[in-house]
Amino acid sequence: MAHTLPSHVSVVVIGGGIMGCSTLYHLAKMGVPDAILLERNALTSGTTWHSAAQVRALRHSRNLTRMIQYSVELYAQLEHETGQSVGWIQKGSLSIATNPGRLTHIRRQEALAHAYGINARSISAGEAKERWPLMNAKDVLAAVWSPEDGRVSPSDVCAGLVKAAKRLGAKLFERTGVTGILTENGRVRGVETSQGTVMCDAIALCTGLWSREVGAMAAAEVPALACEHFYLLTKPIDGIVGNTPTLSDHDSHLYIRDDSGGLLVGCFEPMGKPIAPGVLNGSFEFALLPEDWEHFEPMMINALHRLPILEKAEVKMLLNGPESFTPDGTFMLGETAETRGLFLGCGMNSVGVASGGGAGMNLAHYIVRGHAAYDLTEADAKRFAPIFNNIEHLMARAPEILGTHYDIAYPGKQLKTARDLRALPLNKEYREANAHMGQFYGWERPLYFGKTAEPVLRFDRPDWFENVRAEVMAAHEQAAIFDASPFGKIEVEGPDAESFLLQVCAGHMARSPGSVIYTAMLNERGTFESDLTAQRITQDHYRLFVGATAIKRDLAWLRRHAQCYNVTLTDSTETYAVLGLMGPEAARIVSECGAGDLNNVSYFKHGTARLAGNHVRAARMSYVGEAGWELTCLTENASDLYAALAAAGAKPAGLFAQTSMRIEKGFCAMGHELDADVTPIAAGLDFAVRKGNGFIGAEALSDVRARGEVSHIVSLTLDDETAVPLGHEPIYLDDRIVGQTSSCAFGYRVGKPVGLCHTREPLKDGVRVQIDIARRMVDATVTIGPLFDPAGKRMNR
């Protein structure tokens, strides 16, 4: 360990667990030899040392899976690079199912594994019993076997990472606690420590259990909270020889493996125990929390059922070690919105060791190159609404997140805690219409209307199927109201508004006032940071509409690039409500409500009117493929406007109906078809991009265009009307995986299940393929372009 702190370094890594050690190693690998790591106590003394260290490659997305695959490769490489053993034990994992829902779930996971190149296969209950002889398999229906999964020794991994980093010039300072973070004009400048001050250009905050408090030193929001996490250790048991696969009995909330000749029985119980801030202080080093047998008892009963041999086993200890959890169960990675140069690598949700190698590599990428190695929007540090940093909400949500680790991934599942945080202007009206609500960025949004009872979640046709059909048909045959109020709204004003937006947006931003403009915001690689629509209100004023969950991220991106322009950026999201009035009766309704002039507004234009006595700005556009307007009004006028539209015959429609109609129209969405790995050309959106230079990403896009890249997005219609694709399903052509679904729904106007898909190779219109839905192959037809109204005549009339 180094003894004297340098006065200035490029990057300070705070925290000596798996994330900090991995980040330090990768910074050194990427040419930052003066990076240092500060650890308040000793390496791995927080959460890392007591991790069960399961390394299971499969995750719900390609890039999270790719990240863990990288971890496996890295940990194996470390032994050759440093001579440090990492304790890699590759005995595979066995996931059992004891009910039909879980069986579908694990078979969907098996299908996903094939799409991501992971070795996994279904096996019978009998074969599962052969692989885990001590298991009671009487209630097991089937299992999935993943032979390449394993586990490591977390302390040894960290020792290897630091050893390699130090060889490359990086330094480690243990017993050096951070007492403050220095900032200037919203950017980090240095850290104050118990051993002195170090000035720096960037900070990697990898402080695990204490990340929220350390982030607050730099005025940054880090919504993560510690919960108690339990696993039982037994003394040696007859019949356990050598190492076993990890047994996942998620219906019982358990994971089980050998440990020193005995058993390790861990759990993610349905509702965990939160740890209030301040309980884990600076002296919490290689420490554990008190045993809590009363809390663990239901899990122990489950374990005794699965492993009868436990009845005779001697208990070594009930380990209770804290782990940190975020409001959605995914870690935080990347630069904060509040403070430039402060990068998060924390909130690991009990998968820190498995993810740490790849997550540390990506965090180093963020710091050195300004972006992750591949799209990790789902882990973006800027994705949470500020309200989730509230300690009361975290204390409620984090214990539920712990329990969701082993949930069945039913479509439509919603979290139960920390709800009703942000209400839409029409919340009262929607509740009276029996809306079933879902939470997005803290907002409660209607998913569908007319709910008569809580839906029973399932993988086959959902309880809300007919409710959504009625809403789609209302929009298709009459008129429906879709609430777009949660979408972020950003006012861009000033003499440089046009030149600024021409720089940060790839679309045709110089169009005249009164225009509506769809555009991408690209990065230097020519891939998506965001997509949005803009209304040019005056020569010096645009209003941008961004995704409901993207406002914090997009506003930070815009502010970062606005410094050299004479513009002001204002978040007006809560100032305005937006109601989409869509359907063939929309024209009659606005006329009856006193705004007949809106029928003269042409497609992708906007105009103002008095509708039911209220001022509205109406944009002629459609996200659902039916004619209509998006009506923007002051929030306080939304109830009057809604009442008038409803009285004239418009019906409310929810997010499920909107998604179905979007997919039928082939409209791409961020987080589904669009992300930081995808260019507008690959998404079939090159028509909305200016040619030539003058905007961020233009040069990269020109290179891609010159190489002949074409769209990789196609539409799919499934033959089987009862099939329920959910997204991420592999697509087969002649027994080869040629793509993966990205958005799926039932297409009520088409009369079949439908989807959008990313393909790995060009597919011809009309080609027949098969979709793997939980290992059942369903025939489907490829369509190049929209499935419904491909010429767009209904939107333009």
Side-chain angles (χ1 to χ4, degrees):
M1 184 182 77
H3 296 287
T4 304
L5 283 175
S7 60
H8 183 277
V9 297
S10 299
V11 185
V12 171
V13 180
I14 309 176
I18 183 65
M19 270 303 302
C21 294
S22 177
T23 303
L24 182 74
Y25 168 81
H26 286 98
L27 285 169
K29 279 280 190 179
M30 292 180 189
V32 188
D34 67 335
I36 64 172
L37 188 153
L38 307 179
E39 165 54 48
R40 175 170 61 189
N41 296 311
L43 284 184
T44 76
S45 61
T47 293
T48 299
W49 75 273
H50 61 71
S51 170
Q54 258 66 265
V55 181
R56 300 189 64 187
L58 183 63
R59 291 296 180 265
H60 65 266
S61 73
R62 178 178 298 278
N63 284 346
L64 289 182
T65 300
R66 181 178 175 185
M67 196 174 63
I68 296 179
Q69 290 172 312
Y70 175 90
S71 293
V72 173
E73 294 170 3
L74 171 66
Y75 299 160
Q77 169 198 320
L78 275 177
E79 297 204 21
H80 300 291
E81 187 174 345
T82 66
Q84 169 73 53
S85 171
V86 299
W88 174 243
I89 298 171
Q90 189 175 44
K91 288 294 182 178
S93 65
L94 188 65
S95 297
I96 62 173
T98 61
N99 62 67
R102 179 69 64 183
L103 184 59
T104 299
H105 174 88
I106 66 171
R107 285 180 173 167
R108 284 187 59 82
Q109 288 185 310
E110 180 192 356
L112 199 61
H114 294 171
Y116 298 160
I118 294 172
N119 184 6
R121 63 180 179 88
S122 293
I123 62 174
S124 67
E127 184 176 344
K129 174 73 171 176
E130 290 175 7
R131 294 188 177 279
W132 245 94
L134 297 179
M135 170 178 61
N136 169 19
K138 291 179 180 178
D139 58 345
V140 175
L141 302 179
V144 168
W145 168 242
S146 303
E148 294 171 4
D149 290 340
R151 58 187 190 261
V152 294
S153 166
S155 297
D156 289 337
V157 167
C158 289
L161 289 166
V162 169
K163 185 176 182 179
K166 290 167 72 173
R167 285 181 177 177
L168 295 168
K171 294 181 180 179
L172 163 68
F173 294 87
E174 295 180 286
R175 307 296 167 189
T176 307
V178 172
T179 57
I181 295 176
L182 303 175
T183 64
E184 182 182 357
N185 298 323
R187 175 179 275 282
V188 300
R189 291 300 181 207
V191 295
E192 296 174 322
T193 81
S194 57
Q195 305 301 321
T197 298
V198 183
M199 306 306 290
C200 61
D201 303 317
I203 294 172
L205 196 157
C206 305
T207 47
L209 304 167
W210 300 277
S211 295
R212 184 172 180 271
E213 291 77 10
V214 178
M217 294 179 182
E221 296 172 352
V222 187
L225 188 85
C227 287
E228 300 182 25
H229 177 54
F230 299 89
Y231 60 77
L232 174 75
L233 293 170
T234 77
K235 293 180 180 179
I237 293 174
D238 289 340
I240 297 180
V241 179
N243 299 121
T244 67
T246 297
L247 174 61
S248 297
D249 180 6
H250 293 168
D251 291 325
S252 297
H253 317 289
L254 302 174
Y255 62 91
I256 302 163
R257 64 167 170 83
D258 68 279
D259 186 88
S260 303
L263 286 172
L264 182 155
V265 181
C267 69
F268 287 97
E269 65 274 28
M271 186 62 70
K273 294 179 63 180
I275 303 171
V279 172
L280 306 176
N281 58 31
S283 64
F284 194 85
E285 177 184 6
F286 294 112
L288 296 171
L289 298 165
E291 294 182 340
D292 187 342
W293 283 98
E294 182 178 355
H295 183 77
F296 188 72
E297 183 180 9
M299 302 301 102
M300 189 67 198
I301 293 171
N302 292 345
L304 287 166
H305 166 74
R306 187 59 56 213
L307 297 174
I309 199 170
L310 281 174
E311 292 184 13
K312 300 177 181 179
E314 288 189 71
V315 172
K316 184 187 298 183
M317 68 180 301
L318 178 61
L319 186 144
N320 181 1
E323 302 263 7
S324 60
F325 295 85
T326 63
D328 65 359
T330 300
F331 53 84
M332 291 175 281
L333 203 70
E335 191 173 34
T336 65
E338 299 82 11
T339 309
R340 295 295 309 279
L342 182 67
F343 295 83
L344 304 185
C346 54
M348 300 309 292
N349 296 273
S350 206
V351 294
V353 173
S355 303
M361 179 272 288
N362 275 287
L363 186 56
H365 246 272
Y366 267 117
I367 295 168
V368 175
R369 299 173 186 170
H371 57 87
Y374 33 76
D375 178 72
L376 287 173
T377 303
E378 60 203 304
D380 194 295
K382 298 179 282 292
R383 71 186 184 276
F384 292 115
I387 200 165
F388 279 113
N389 200 39
N390 176 290
I391 193 61
E392 178 186 351
H393 303 327
L394 284 172
M395 288 285 285
R397 175 60 63 83
E400 183 183 14
I401 291 298
L402 179 147
T404 62
H405 266 49
Y406 288 168
D407 270 358
I408 298 174
Y410 286 119
K413 181 175 175 58
Q414 287 284 314
L415 294 167
K416 296 181 173 63
T417 58
R419 295 297 298 267
D420 298 317
L421 304 183
R422 305 178 78 184
L424 292 175
L426 296 173
N427 182 66
K428 178 176 178 289
E429 288 84 347
Y430 295 153
R431 303 284 182 173
E432 290 174 351
N434 296 318
H436 181 68
M437 309 297 273
Q439 189 183 64
F440 301 85
Y441 202 67
W443 294 105
E444 296 292 334
R445 299 182 67 179
L447 302 179
Y448 67 91
F449 290 88
K451 180 176 73 172
T452 56
E454 284 301 312
V456 177
L457 300 181
R458 48 168 54 94
F459 284 112
D460 56 4
R461 183 162 285 184
D463 284 6
W464 52 81
F465 185 84
E466 293 301 332
N467 303 63
V468 178
R469 181 199 296 276
E471 294 168 24
V472 171
M473 288 301 108
H476 181 53
E477 297 171 353
Q478 299 165 333
I481 301 168
F482 297 87
D483 198 320
S485 301
F487 273 51
K489 306 163 198 79
I490 302 170
E491 312 295 325
V492 182
E493 299 175 270
D496 290 347
E498 179 181 294
S499 57
F500 167 61
L501 290 175
L502 284 171
Q503 170 68 12
V504 296
C505 295
H508 301 277
M509 307 308 294
R511 287 178 175 155
S512 60
S515 297
V516 178
I517 307 149
Y518 171 78
T519 182
M521 284 201 301
L522 305 177
N523 49 50
E524 295 289 353
R525 306 180 306 286
T527 59
F528 279 89
E529 286 294 318
S530 183
D531 77 331
L532 56 92
T533 57
Q535 295 179 11
R536 190 167 194 178
I537 296 173
T538 67
Q539 196 69 23
D540 297 338
H541 180 194
Y542 293 76
R543 180 172 296 143
L544 311 183
F545 295 79
V546 304
T549 61
I551 179 65
K552 190 175 183 179
R553 184 181 71 241
D554 287 356
L555 196 52
W557 179 264
L558 290 164
R559 284 174 173 158
R560 178 187 303 179
H561 292 94
Q563 295 176 6
C564 297
Y565 292 89
N566 187 2
V567 295
T568 60
L569 302 173
T570 307
D571 180 358
S572 61
T573 301
E574 299 195 33
T575 303
Y576 297 106
V578 181
L579 301 181
L581 177 66
M582 302 292 162
E585 292 292 306
R588 172 190 62 78
I589 289 172
V590 295
S591 295
E592 288 186 10
C593 292
D597 287 350
L598 292 182
N599 288 303
N600 298 322
V601 176
S602 56
Y603 197 57
F604 261 69
K605 299 291 183 180
H606 64 83
T608 59
R610 304 289 296 184
L611 200 157
N614 297 290
H615 178 273
V616 299
R617 184 174 300 279
R620 186 81 178 196
M621 57 188 296
S622 177
Y623 198 47
V624 297
E626 303 289 347
W629 299 265
E630 290 191 0
L631 306 169
T632 302
C633 67
L634 290 172
T635 296
E636 57 265 30
N637 296 334
S639 289
D640 287 346
L641 185 62
Y642 177 83
L645 298 176
K651 310 291 186 190
L655 197 59
F656 288 164
Q658 177 179 288
T659 297
S660 166
M661 300 175 83
R662 170 185 77 80
I663 296 169
E664 286 179 315
K665 282 298 297 175
F667 292 150
C668 296
M670 284 296 297
H672 296 275
E673 291 71 45
L674 312 179
D675 60 36
D677 291 335
V678 176
T679 69
I681 299 169
L685 295 171
D686 200 26
F687 67 89
V689 174
R690 307 194 311 272
K691 305 307 180 280
N693 296 316
F695 60 88
I696 298 170
E699 184 175 339
L701 210 55
S702 294
D703 291 343
V704 169
R705 197 177 287 115
R707 292 197 299 269
E709 182 171 48
V710 296
S711 174
H712 298 292
I713 305 291
V714 301
S715 298
L716 299 170
T717 307
L718 280 65
D719 289 2
D720 184 351
E721 291 184 19
T722 67
V724 184
L726 304 177
H728 299 289
E729 291 91 356
I731 299 168
Y732 286 80
L733 174 66
D734 299 330
D735 298 323
R736 293 181 295 111
I737 295 178
V738 294
Q740 197 173 354
T741 60
S742 49
S743 296
C744 293
F746 191 87
Y748 295 92
R749 293 174 296 187
V750 173
K752 294 285 182 67
V754 297
L756 292 174
C757 162
H758 280 283
T759 64
R760 301 177 183 177
E761 58 188 70
L763 298 180
K764 294 181 179 180
D765 191 75
V767 72
R768 299 283 287 168
V769 295
Q770 289 190 309
I771 315 302
D772 183 349
I773 303 178
R775 305 306 294 138
R776 183 173 77 90
M777 295 300 184
V778 179
D779 293 328
T781 302
V782 169
T783 298
I784 307 300
L787 299 170
F788 173 77
D789 187 28
K793 294 180 179 178
R794 292 182 67 89
M795 294 188 299
N796 285 300
R797 60 183 180 178

